[in-house]
Amino acid sequence: MSATVQNFPRVRASELVGRGWLNTGGRTVTLCELRGKVVVLDFWTFCCINCLHVLDELREVEERHRDELVIIGVHSPKFEHEADPDALAAAVERYEVRHPVLDDPELVTWGAYTARAWPTLVVIDPEGYIVAQMAGEGHGSAIAALVDDLVAEHALKGTLHRGSGPYVPPAPASGTLRFPAKALVLPNGNLLVADAGHHSLAELEPDGETLVRRIGSGERGLVDGGLGEARFSEPNGLCLVPADLATSLGYDVLVADTVNHALRGVRLSDGAVHTVAGTGQQFMVGGQENVTGTVGTFDAGESYDALSVRLSSPWDVEWSAELGVFVVAMAGNHTLWDFHPGPHLPVVSLLAGTMNEGLEDGPGEGAWFAQPSGLATASDGALWLADAETSALRRVVPVDETDVRVETVVGQGLFDFGHRDGAAGQALLQHPLGVATLPDGSVVVADTYNGAVRRYDPASGEVTTLAKDLAEPSDVLVEVADGAVHLLVVESAAHRLTRVALPAGLAGEVLDGGAHRVARPATDVASGALRLDVPFAPAPGQKLDDRWGASTSLQVSATPPELLLSGAGNGTDLFRDLVINPDVAEGILHVTAKAASCDQVPLLPNGEPDPDVFPACHLAQQDWGVPVRVVPHGDAGLTLPLRG
């Protein structure tokens, strides 16, 4: 049996409890007042790329069912910074969340619904009962089908209420920049800024304030064309194309167009934009159609036509002279890719990463990343990498033209973060998004959630703080003029660029703001046999898709590895019999589940499937990191609904 379905008892949805509400005009929302509506609770945290993918997945069904559906974002923070109400308000604006959001910093509502992963979705029917729970991304089609069924069912029963919901849009923001992400210096001395909140690029004079021109219409979309015609969707990374290469390619800047899952080329002479990599659709780990015209798995290391391969939230891009390619930080599937632009057919390939989320060093093909988000070239030709979700600074060292080795300099893993200077092995960051190199070979880090700029000195092995009290710095430019060095910091949450003078000698300040771990309640389990179940049910009108092999997969590991006496490894069943070590008091179970489904093909009058209808494929996937505590009378079972 490759999938299990959990039959929930008829359970009334728990009330929504938290610190406050956003997007409601200051009102508190209760489930009682939402009776008659289909309600979807989206448990998210704004650091999480998978959560951001789900926001995009839900936009279409949200607009289509505005009168019958209410989506409630339940923000349950992972990082300390995300518990700041001002930071949450900025994130809701940044990501254009157009539904009410409950601020749940103490994870009260998270616990009431037994959520164990970001993101988790819970569907509540118009009578106030839970009908489905899902974890991870890839459930957009399932939500849409379920909402359609619930609307039809409750319209017939007379229990559906149509009309406006509790969403109150915020006042529109104004200003030259809106959540700027990355920046670079152009050959003419001006600055080019990825103005993510305005879905465009802003060219500014060297003062960092005066607008010269805007590239892109400012409307979200994927449209090639001229200066005011082209469209982006939350662009982030920017990279100047080497001059000799730009002449042959016909574009001068390469843009990581994050939410469009694409790379775009920009010609500076006239602002023309065209897509050079990506299809506009998201790469789904384990998906069968990640390459246009190809059904089957994506082969790591193989080169593919750049315009035929789906990308996944490219966050930054950097030219590597050592490798002779552009290296892309592919945040959405925790990998590094390379983009070779020509001279004839541009191609992309997977450079490093397994698509598992975590912190593992070594040869590129076996390395684990977690939302790689910032790249910069080191003085020795290696690449510095800001690995956001592991709060890590890492080095990517070319071994030859196709292979790299990955080394972690600062960072402990997915669940450890803080603001601590000192020896690199003990230093801590909090969700960094940008890096840059200084003239002396040291590296500066945009330590985003600490609101700081940090410096790592390879010569001494020490980390110091160069600047603090910044508003979510997401990138840093190093300016050298007349013997002085300044930093131009992209203060994303303050919608501005800020110049910071470096301290004499570049030493910086040594700070210790403490160490933190992600605080989630542990699940008590007994030692010995533990049954793991991952329920999955295809959406209405879909079935499990086993045309190209097993439709489901399950991967299990543990930290520390000794926590599991048996049961680790890969398999195709969505259940596993584990054995917990009685000599290990606590740890984390890492579970990755995937399930492929497809639309059911309509039948012809003769009962045969319609040969002219090719079923659409859908992939649901989620990674869980479940804290567990081994106790004498703990549970002998653990259920993690993928979709149940």
Side-chain angles (χ1 to χ4, degrees):
M1 181 177 182
S2 61
T4 59
V5 178
Q6 184 177 15
N7 295 314
F8 286 103
R10 192 163 167 79
V11 175
R12 178 75 70 180
S14 299
E15 196 48 81
L16 306 175
V17 179
R19 178 168 56 188
W21 288 84
L22 295 89
N23 285 353
T24 66
R27 291 180 55 248
T28 295
V29 177
T30 66
L31 286 179
C32 181
E33 71 182 79
L34 299 180
R35 200 67 51 82
K37 302 281 192 185
V38 179
V39 177
V40 174
L41 304 182
D42 175 16
F43 290 87
W44 69 301
T45 186
F46 66 75
C47 70
C48 168
I49 192 68
N50 310 93
C51 298
L52 303 185
H53 290 164
V54 168
L55 284 176
D56 293 323
E57 289 176 1
L58 294 177
R59 292 187 198 278
E60 183 178 347
V61 67
E62 185 173 29
E63 289 302 318
R64 192 168 72 246
H65 288 287
R66 274 285 177 192
D67 289 342
E68 306 98 355
L69 169 68
V70 174
I71 296 177
I72 302 287
V74 182
H75 188 265
S76 308
K78 171 185 175 181
F79 287 103
E80 181 185 33
H81 174 71
E82 293 174 297
D84 183 326
D86 293 334
L88 173 57
V92 169
E93 180 186 354
R94 178 195 301 265
Y95 298 117
E96 299 180 6
V97 180
R98 293 180 177 147
H99 50 250
V101 174
L102 173 66
D103 182 6
D104 182 28
E106 302 298 327
L107 306 189
V108 175
T109 298
W110 162 284
Y113 284 86
T114 63
R116 286 193 172 95
W118 296 281
T120 291
L121 298 167
V122 176
V123 182
I124 301 169
D125 71 15
E127 295 179 285
Y129 291 96
I130 297 174
V131 296
Q133 182 168 334
M134 311 173 188
E137 56 182 296
H139 299 292
S141 64
I143 291 287
L146 188 52
V147 170
D148 287 343
D149 281 3
L150 288 171
V151 167
E153 174 190 345
H154 287 273
L156 287 175
K157 291 175 64 175
T159 50
L160 184 72
H161 169 68
R162 289 186 168 91
S164 60
Y167 170 65
V168 176
S174 62
T176 302
L177 301 177
R178 184 169 181 266
F179 299 108
K182 307 281 186 182
L184 59 76
V185 180
L186 295 175
N188 65 2
N190 286 344
L191 300 166
L192 189 66
V193 181
D195 196 5
H198 284 136
H199 309 295
S200 62
L201 309 181
E203 183 175 345
L204 306 178
E205 291 185 3
D207 62 10
E209 298 180 358
T210 306
L211 182 67
V212 176
R213 62 174 174 169
R214 190 170 291 280
I215 300 174
S217 69
E219 297 292 322
R220 184 193 292 269
L222 180 58
V223 177
D224 290 345
L227 197 69
E229 177 188 9
R231 293 188 179 189
F232 298 89
S233 188
E234 298 180 31
N236 273 274
L238 303 171
C239 181
L240 274 178
V241 178
D244 56 341
L245 193 56
T247 302
S248 62
L249 294 178
Y251 56 89
D252 308 282
V253 176
L254 190 61
V255 182
D257 195 7
T258 303
V259 179
N260 275 328
H261 310 294
L263 301 179
R264 319 288 296 281
V266 177
R267 189 168 58 222
L268 292 174
S269 61
D270 59 1
V273 179
H274 70 280
T275 303
V276 298
T279 66
Q281 295 178 296
Q282 181 191 342
F283 186 110
M284 297 297 290
V285 181
Q288 295 292 325
E289 296 175 302
N290 284 317
V291 183
T292 301
T294 301
V295 177
T297 57
F298 175 87
D299 294 323
E302 293 294 320
S303 294
Y304 293 92
D305 173 4
L307 291 170
S308 297
V309 179
R310 298 181 180 186
L311 308 181
S312 185
S313 299
W315 208 277
D316 202 6
V317 59
E318 177 80 356
W319 171 254
S320 170
E322 295 284 324
L323 296 170
V325 295
F326 293 95
V327 176
V328 182
M330 205 72 71
N333 56 23
H334 317 300
T335 53
L336 301 179
W337 288 44
D338 61 51
F339 169 62
H340 194 295
H344 304 296
L345 179 69
V347 296
V348 294
S349 61
L350 177 61
L351 176 65
T354 64
M355 302 192 187
N356 291 319
E357 184 178 20
L359 189 72
E360 292 286 344
D361 289 342
E365 63 183 7
W368 290 28
F369 302 95
Q371 291 179 214
S373 300
L375 290 165
T377 302
S379 56
D380 62 358
L383 292 171
W384 291 110
L385 171 68
D387 203 23
E389 277 293 283
T390 53
S391 298
L393 173 64
R394 308 177 77 178
R395 272 172 53 88
V396 181
V397 182
V399 175
D400 56 36
E401 291 184 354
T402 59
D403 293 328
V404 297
R405 185 179 72 257
V406 180
E407 305 166 349
T408 297
V409 176
V410 179
Q412 307 296 326
L414 277 169
F415 305 104
D416 294 277
F417 60 92
H419 189 157
R420 175 170 288 168
D421 289 330
Q426 302 298 318
L428 294 170
L429 309 169
Q430 185 179 183
H431 200 82
L433 292 179
V435 286
T437 51
L438 288 165
D440 68 348
S442 62
V443 58
V444 290
V445 180
D447 192 8
T448 308
Y449 285 3
N450 278 327
V453 174
R454 315 282 292 282
R455 173 180 179 252
Y456 166 67
D457 179 12
S460 66
E462 295 290 312
V463 175
T464 54
T465 297
L466 299 178
K468 55 186 179 179
D469 300 322
L470 300 166
E472 293 191 12
S474 58
D475 197 19
V476 183
L477 296 182
V478 176
E479 299 178 324
V480 182
D482 300 325
V485 179
H486 290 80
L487 303 179
L488 185 65
V489 181
V490 180
E491 278 195 275
S492 189
H495 318 294
R496 67 191 178 202
L497 307 183
T498 301
R499 279 188 168 84
V500 175
L502 288 183
L506 300 180
E509 184 179 3
V510 178
L511 299 175
D512 189 347
H516 305 279
R517 300 206 79 196
V518 175
R520 291 174 295 160
T523 297
D524 288 342
V525 300
S527 61
L530 177 72
R531 175 73 171 206
L532 171 66
D533 277 300
V534 182
F536 177 83
Q542 298 176 10
K543 63 179 181 179
L544 287 173
D545 185 4
D546 54 6
R547 290 172 292 169
W548 298 283
S551 57
T552 59
S553 68
L554 183 67
Q555 181 182 49
V556 180
S557 62
T559 302
E562 296 77 20
L563 176 65
L564 284 178
L565 293 176
S566 70
N570 301 328
T572 58
D573 292 326
L574 290 183
F575 60 86
R576 187 76 58 83
D577 289 315
L578 312 177
V579 178
I580 302 296
N581 190 342
D583 297 326
V584 177
E586 60 182 11
I588 296 172
L589 286 176
H590 304 284
V591 179
T592 299
K594 302 170 189 174
S597 56
C598 63
D599 294 342
Q600 293 181 340
V601 177
L603 301 180
L604 298 173
N606 63 6
E608 295 294 322
D610 188 337
D612 296 325
V613 177
F614 188 81
C617 300
H618 313 278
L619 182 72
Q621 61 179 26
Q622 175 58 23
D623 296 312
W624 289 269
V626 182
V628 297
R629 184 170 51 232
V630 182
V631 297
H633 303 292
D635 294 336
L638 175 62
T639 300
L640 303 174
L642 181 59
R643 184 188 299 162

